[in-house]
Amino acid sequence: MVTKKQIVKELKRNIQQSYAMELEDATPQEIFYSLGKTIKAIYNQDWQKTWKDYIIEEQKQVYYFSIEFLPGKMLKSNLLNLGLLEIVREALNDYNIDLEDVAAVEKDMALGNGGLGRLASCFMDSLASCGLPGNGNGIRYDYGLFKQQFVDGYQVELPDEWLQDGNVWEIRRESKAVNVHYGGKVYMEKQANGQLKPIYENEIVLKAVPYDTGMVGYQNGIVNTMRLWGVEIPVSQEGKYRTIEERRVFEDLTAVLYPDDSNETGRLIRLAQEYFFVSAGIQSIIRYYRKLNRPWHDLSEKVAIHINDTHPALCVPELMRILLDECDLNWELAWDLTVKVMSYTNHTILAEALEKWPIYLLERVVPRMYQIIQEIDRRYVLSMQNIHPNDLIERTRIIQGEYVHMANLAIIGSHSTNGVAKLHSDLLKSVVLHDFYIIYPERFNNKTNGIAQRRWLQIANEELSQVLDETIGKTWRKDPADLKLLINYQDDEAVLKRLFEAKKTKKIALAQYVEETTGIVINPEAIFDVQIKRLHAYKRQLLNLLHIIKLYLDLLENPKLDIEPRVFIFGAKAAPSYTYAKSIIKVINEVAQLINHDERIQDKLKIVFLANYNVTLAEIIIPAADVSEQISLASKEASGTSNMKLMLNGAITIATLDGANVEIRDAVGDDNIDIFGLTEAEVYAYYENKNYSSNQIYENDPVIKRILDTLIDGTIPNIGKEGREIFDSLILYNDEYFLLRDFNSYCEAQTKIDLAYKDRKRWEKISLINIANAGHFSADTTVKQYAEDIWQIEPLFARKRK
Ligand code: 26Q
């Protein structure tokens, strides 16, 4: 066990070594870096040992391929998982240094857009904490997701220079670099032994260098690896570039994360990025497997590869390429192994978000991939003839017209396809991927998302954690299902009071942050009503806003209206090219400006749009939330994960029956969640019957008309263009996401929230019931299900740290 004294000694030595100064004189930045080095040195032994144990035990390992990872800050979570959080806090305290100040200087590692990337990082934490042999494989972007600022209410994007002060957690492993080939011409040549081998001409070779970060398990001595690849120009290729510009394109391959979280169509660089981490990752897996000296047909007993959404779907043809071209396997064996090794998760049902690449691009960027995809496609059709009708085969082909359909490639090339919540997985089977479900029913399954309780409760909300520890003991930290024990206290006034006080403390902290960053003063006694997620039409931030406008108009008409004071809090980034989403941001900001400064409202309503929503900000907002807004149009949100984080922190959910909200309702019961709106079946019925008319609602409902008119009649200043654009989307273009249809139902649900909050005892009880049932949504449980049902991997027995 590491002592406080040892830590201080090492920390001082590192500060001395790096900066030639004393701890007392160091800045938080200098302390952070040196503390990081100190901690890394502590877990390095475990890291090495974990790796060796996996090899000695010949453990099957999973490689989680994801083009996004969103770990946020790592200092406190590493300390917690090493069991050193309190020791280090005290050690620094002895020198009058606040750990929080040191932790605050760490830059968020934001190599992801939102839910999908954060899920990948929660899984990394849980895999290590459950002692499961799981590695991450992704891209080391030089710039993470853009930083968001508001200027005159408009979103402005700034580069995220997260590597500016270096990255203390990573290890660059030059010796494990591999080459990745692009472009040129490929043709097949017969060898003396009759085998066909690809000959490459004029291709471009890039070097992929791995940067490894230790993923520390929760107090179990396990450290797994997240491997992110960065691009370099190999020395051998230096002379090949005609111009600096030409060279720059390749050098910049891993420079930036694409900031679109749905569809960024047809970008050459994006395709090159996808192939980059896929090829590098699979090469390094096969290099490792060869060292084990085992026969090829055992590959699927040692290796599982997970395709996180379709972005890494080239894993399928790339593994085929290596097995065929470099390991000389025949097609049948290579294919059999590939399908056994691969599994795929789908994260969306939005048709426009299903990835497809134009053939000409694949031919240009990754010609050998295209050849192999053609052959997979040809054999797929052949194998299905005489079994299934032609039209079904045609609809499920990988290559259709001018495009390669990546989801089709991932499904055909893997043994498992899963959705991320029950409802979503059912919709995949019955609608979106129905054709594939007919062909491969056994491949489809559900794995409901989960979250890392340790980060979202213990680290983000120490106050609540402490109340839980003192009420139900500490076992929930390892066993989230034990949160259930809290149910026994649902009528215990003392516990309820303590929970309420913990919430209050966090609300005061958030209020302080809000005042410091925006100048807006908010009342911690008010209901904190939170919607935090990417800005998307289907997530319906606009529905939330329309309700706020309604409250505002109601209050103007009747200043005595008896409503609980409410603060509406938003956090959301819009993809830079998503004009409509940006217009919604502008309008929310202008409505905020209007209402926050209208004295007639007497602080009954406040709107706060916090800029630059990211993991760190989430850790400040979520513990302070009273109400969780999960109001997407039913059927559109695959799962959602902020719904789980907010519930865990005692917020009460107002929700449509979409994604994991359905399972949250099942867990807490109808009385402890506020459900409204169309069901998924009703939404589909509208599509079927084509009988929705938003204009009819607008003309017949004077309240709705009055609210919508504020968008275009000058009531809200400075939104000429945007107000009109949004108005038109609702009326001229028939309200694609049925906001008007759900509006009255939403308002009723909001009234219920108001009434429930008035009955403070009841509110506190509902909040407790939500916390007690949040253990259902632990990522630990989720990864264990993946491990058992899909990857067939087993935990390494947890050993106590010495
Ligand atoms: C695709 C092509 C080109 C460029 C970008 C993309 C792209 C990038 C990111 C497409 C999609 C994403 C991210 C999707 C995402 O975050 N989906 C969310 O995944 C969560 C975890 O499963 C779910 O909880 C959310 O419901 C889902 O929206």
Side-chain angles (χ1 to χ4, degrees):
M1 200 52 211
V2 187
T3 63
K4 188 162 100 176
K5 219 166 128 192
Q6 285 168 317
I7 295 216
V8 172
K9 192 171 152 217
E10 276 310 296
L11 177 60
K12 286 185 158 188
R13 205 177 59 87
N14 277 322
I15 290 184
Q16 179 76 52
Q17 216 175 40
S18 307
Y19 303 105
M21 58 163 62
E22 302 293 330
L23 173 57
E24 289 84 345
D25 302 324
T27 63
Q29 176 62 48
E30 289 155 351
I31 299 172
F32 165 73
Y33 186 77
S34 310
L35 185 57
K37 266 175 84 171
T38 309
I39 293 162
K40 198 165 70 173
I42 293 173
Y43 68 67
N44 268 346
Q45 282 176 5
D46 281 341
W47 197 359
Q48 212 175 337
K49 177 122 177 44
T50 304
W51 182 241
K52 282 225 173 97
D53 284 349
Y54 288 155
I55 296 180
I56 294 166
E57 305 286 321
E58 296 210 341
Q59 287 253 335
K60 181 171 182 181
Q61 301 192 39
V62 66
Y63 300 85
Y64 195 87
F65 278 60
S66 179
I67 204 162
E68 305 192 357
F69 286 93
L70 207 41
K73 298 193 198 319
M74 286 194 284
L75 178 65
K76 278 170 72 182
S77 89
N78 281 341
L79 286 174
L80 173 73
N81 289 359
L82 290 169
L84 298 175
L85 190 55
E86 286 322 309
I87 294 183
V88 168
R89 204 193 298 272
E90 283 169 26
L92 293 178
N93 248 339
D94 292 348
Y95 290 81
N96 279 326
I97 301 160
D98 187 345
L99 173 63
E100 297 307 314
D101 296 339
V102 175
V105 304
E106 179 174 2
K107 295 249 186 3
D108 262 44
M109 190 174 187
L111 309 186
N113 275 290
L116 168 143
R118 182 55 228 174
L119 185 76
S121 287
C122 282
F123 281 7
M124 286 296 110
D125 179 315
S126 288
L127 282 166
S129 294
C130 298
L132 286 161
N135 310 282
N137 188 79
I139 296 177
R140 180 182 182 269
Y141 302 102
D142 301 323
Y143 297 89
L145 185 63
F146 66 84
K147 285 192 166 166
Q148 179 194 52
Q149 275 185 6
F150 297 136
V151 175
D152 295 334
Y154 290 105
Q155 168 176 295
V156 173
E157 301 100 24
L158 302 167
D160 168 42
E161 299 177 336
W162 74 289
L163 286 169
Q164 213 171 31
D165 310 312
N167 172 9
V168 67
W169 308 116
E170 70 187 10
I171 296 180
R172 177 190 149 90
R173 296 199 195 276
E174 172 79 32
S175 67
K176 302 242 164 110
V178 298
N179 285 335
V180 178
H181 298 240
Y182 289 97
K185 284 241 164 341
V186 193
Y187 56 89
M188 305 305 286
E189 202 177 69
K190 225 186 200 125
Q191 306 293 101
N193 62 4
Q195 267 194 341
L196 289 174
K197 278 260 162 174
I199 305 295
Y200 296 83
E201 264 174 15
N202 295 324
E203 65 217 299
I204 283 156
V205 182
L206 296 180
K207 181 162 133 186
V209 181
Y211 291 75
D212 289 352
T213 301
M215 296 285 116
V216 181
Y218 180 63
Q219 298 176 14
N220 64 355
I222 301 282
V223 183
N224 286 337
T225 303
M226 173 173 70
R227 173 163 285 185
L228 303 181
W229 299 90
V231 73
E232 285 172 28
I233 308 279
V235 181
S236 65
Q237 302 276 309
E238 291 279 5
K240 282 208 171 166
Y241 301 100
R242 285 179 300 258
T243 61
I244 293 179
E245 289 76 30
E246 195 181 87
R247 187 191 152 111
R248 186 58 51 78
V249 173
F250 298 105
E251 262 176 344
D252 284 351
L253 192 67
T254 55
V256 281
L257 161 78
Y258 276 85
D260 196 313
D261 68 335
S262 50
N263 61 326
E264 194 37 84
T265 43
R267 297 295 183 84
L268 185 143
I269 302 286
R270 170 77 179 187
L271 177 60
Q273 284 185 343
E274 292 185 356
Y275 184 58
F276 185 73
F277 83 108
V278 161
S279 177
I282 300 222
Q283 287 185 61
S284 87
I285 294 169
I286 294 300
R287 192 189 267 183
Y288 163 76
Y289 185 73
R290 285 186 140 158
K291 280 201 204 131
L292 295 180
N293 263 321
R294 296 185 66 105
W296 284 114
H297 64 252
D298 279 359
L299 181 68
S300 58
E301 277 159 42
K302 296 295 155 201
V303 172
I305 292 176
H306 199 80
I307 299 174
N308 192 30
D309 215 294
T310 54
H311 322 136
L314 288 174
C315 277
V316 171
E318 178 65 3
L319 181 57
M320 286 298 287
R321 180 188 73 77
I322 295 178
L323 295 178
L324 296 169
D325 298 352
E326 294 181 4
C327 308
D328 295 326
L329 270 62
N330 63 40
W331 182 281
E332 288 72 18
L333 177 57
W335 182 248
D336 182 54
L337 290 172
T338 298
V339 173
K340 280 187 180 144
V341 162
M342 300 290 166
S343 51
Y344 154 64
T345 297
N346 172 289
H347 294 266
T348 184
I349 68 163
L350 298 185
E352 67 269 27
L354 285 177
E355 221 185 355
K356 50 189 203 297
W357 287 105
I359 291 173
Y360 78 88
L361 257 187
L362 282 172
E363 279 184 312
R364 242 179 83 193
V365 179
V366 283
R368 182 70 182 132
M369 286 297 96
Y370 184 61
Q371 286 179 345
I372 294 173
I373 291 170
Q374 275 181 308
E375 184 61 11
I376 296 173
D377 189 51
R378 190 184 72 82
R379 287 178 184 244
Y380 171 73
V381 173
L382 264 181
S383 70
M384 291 300 158
Q385 270 165 5
N386 308 322
I387 304 178
H388 292 292
N390 279 334
D391 59 333
L392 179 66
I393 300 174
E394 285 303 314
R395 286 200 304 272
T396 50
R397 284 185 68 158
I398 301 166
I399 303 174
Q400 294 181 28
E402 305 290 291
Y403 290 95
V404 172
H405 291 249
M406 303 307 267
N408 301 17
L409 176 62
I411 297 166
I412 292 169
S414 66
H415 67 280
S416 168
T417 291
N418 74 280
V420 289
K422 273 186 201 145
L423 175 70
H424 169 62
S425 297
D426 286 344
L427 284 170
L428 291 182
K429 290 197 281 195
S430 62
V431 186
V432 192
L433 301 176
H434 180 66
D435 289 333
F436 280 109
Y437 182 59
I438 294 175
I439 296 177
Y440 303 120
E442 73 291 349
R443 290 190 184 183
F444 282 78
N445 64 94
N446 172 247
K447 295 286 167 284
T448 300
N449 283 165
I451 56 170
Q453 253 84 357
R454 286 165 294 275
R455 176 174 291 265
W456 296 107
L457 184 49
Q458 244 168 290
I459 296 178
N461 199 343
E462 288 186 14
E463 289 79 354
L464 175 55
S465 301
Q466 201 178 338
V467 178
L468 294 174
D469 286 352
E470 289 166 17
T471 312
I472 58 171
K474 293 189 173 185
T475 53
W476 62 270
R477 291 161 180 253
K478 260 198 198 297
D479 239 321
D482 285 351
L483 286 171
K484 248 306 47 126
L485 297 170
L486 195 59
I487 278 293
N488 300 329
Y489 299 87
Q490 56 180 310
D491 296 310
D492 185 323
E493 299 231 339
V495 171
L496 290 172
K497 184 156 170 269
R498 292 199 62 194
L499 291 175
F500 193 75
E501 277 165 3
K503 177 66 76 184
K504 183 79 177 290
T505 308
K506 288 313 223 182
K507 287 171 78 173
I508 292 170
L510 176 58
Q512 208 169 357
Y513 177 87
V514 168
E515 189 171 353
E516 276 163 20
T517 52
T518 67
I520 303 171
V521 177
I522 57 175
N523 174 9
E525 304 284 342
I527 302 176
F528 282 15
D529 183 319
V530 167
Q531 189 172 17
I532 39 175
K533 46 190 83 255
R534 282 298 284 258
L535 214 136
H536 247 288
Y538 83 80
K539 294 179 190 279
R540 303 200 295 189
Q541 280 94 349
L542 180 58
L543 179 61
N544 189 344
L545 183 71
L546 294 178
H547 169 250
I548 295 171
I549 297 174
K550 174 176 189 302
L551 286 180
Y552 177 60
L553 298 176
D554 288 351
L555 276 169
L556 288 186
E557 212 172 83
N558 176 11
K560 294 226 171 72
L561 193 70
D562 178 27
I563 58 166
E564 289 292 310
R566 239 204 261 203
V567 183
F568 291 93
I569 297 162
F570 292 90
K573 288 179 181 176
S577 62
Y578 192 172
T579 325
Y580 182 69
K582 288 178 137 178
S583 297
I584 291 177
I585 291 181
K586 167 70 172 169
V587 173
I588 296 177
N589 278 326
E590 289 300 335
V591 172
Q593 189 72 11
L594 174 70
I595 296 182
N596 293 345
H597 292 100
D598 190 332
E599 298 199 337
R600 293 170 296 178
I601 298 308
Q602 302 157 8
D603 287 351
K604 278 191 172 157
L605 279 186
K606 279 269 149 76
I607 306 174
V608 176
F609 200 144
L610 289 171
N612 202 36
Y613 178 62
N614 60 11
V615 172
T616 297
L617 191 48
E619 288 168 8
I620 301 173
I621 298 174
I622 290 171
D626 295 308
V627 176
S628 162
E629 298 273 351
Q630 308 300 335
I631 60 177
S632 54
L633 175 66
S635 80
K636 300 299 179 216
E637 190 70 272
S639 162
T641 42
S642 74
N643 46 2
M644 303 169 184
K645 294 162 197 163
L646 285 157
M647 167 197 196
L648 176 66
N649 281 275
I652 292 171
T653 311
I654 178 168
T656 50
L657 285 176
D658 200 13
N661 302 345
V662 179
E663 287 154 83
I664 293 181
R665 183 210 47 188
D666 292 347
V668 299
D670 282 308
D671 294 342
N672 301 304
I673 188 168
D674 195 3
I675 298 291
F676 74 96
L678 293 171
T679 62
E680 148 275 326
E682 289 165 337
V683 171
Y684 275 92
Y686 271 118
Y687 293 152
E688 184 85 358
N689 303 325
K690 301 191 168 64
N691 59 348
Y692 180 61
S693 163
S694 60
N695 195 41
Q696 221 168 39
I697 300 180
Y698 173 77
E699 292 299 346
N700 293 322
D701 186 328
V703 175
I704 288 183
K705 181 164 193 310
R706 172 74 190 96
I707 294 165
L708 292 202
D709 288 349
T710 63
L711 294 168
I712 47 170
D713 67 6
T715 307
I716 307 162
N718 310 320
I719 56 158
K721 195 166 123 272
E722 296 81 15
R724 169 55 67 178
E725 181 188 357
I726 290 167
F727 181 89
D728 284 350
S729 77
L730 295 174
I731 301 307
L732 204 55
Y733 300 107
N734 204 26
D735 183 18
E736 187 178 353
Y737 296 104
F738 300 87
L739 279 77
L740 302 194
R741 178 65 181 75
D742 275 351
F743 183 72
N744 287 321
S745 165
Y746 180 56
C747 291
E748 280 165 31
Q750 286 290 13
T751 305
K752 271 205 227 160
I753 291 280
D754 182 76
L755 294 176
Y757 202 75
K758 286 190 164 77
D759 181 354
R760 209 51 59 89
K761 281 279 136 341
R762 193 171 132 230
W763 185 274
E764 289 167 11
K765 184 168 167 175
I766 300 176
S767 171
L768 176 146
I769 293 172
N770 273 272
I771 301 169
N773 287 292
H776 273 95
F777 303 101
S778 156
D780 291 359
T781 315
T782 311
V783 298
K784 282 182 195 156
Q785 289 165 354
Y786 275 92
E788 241 184 80
D789 303 346
I790 301 180
W791 303 327
Q792 264 94 50
I793 57 169
E794 285 179 341
L796 191 68
F797 284 116
R799 288 158 294 114
K800 275 266 162 288
R801 277 168 36 80
K802 288 153 284 191

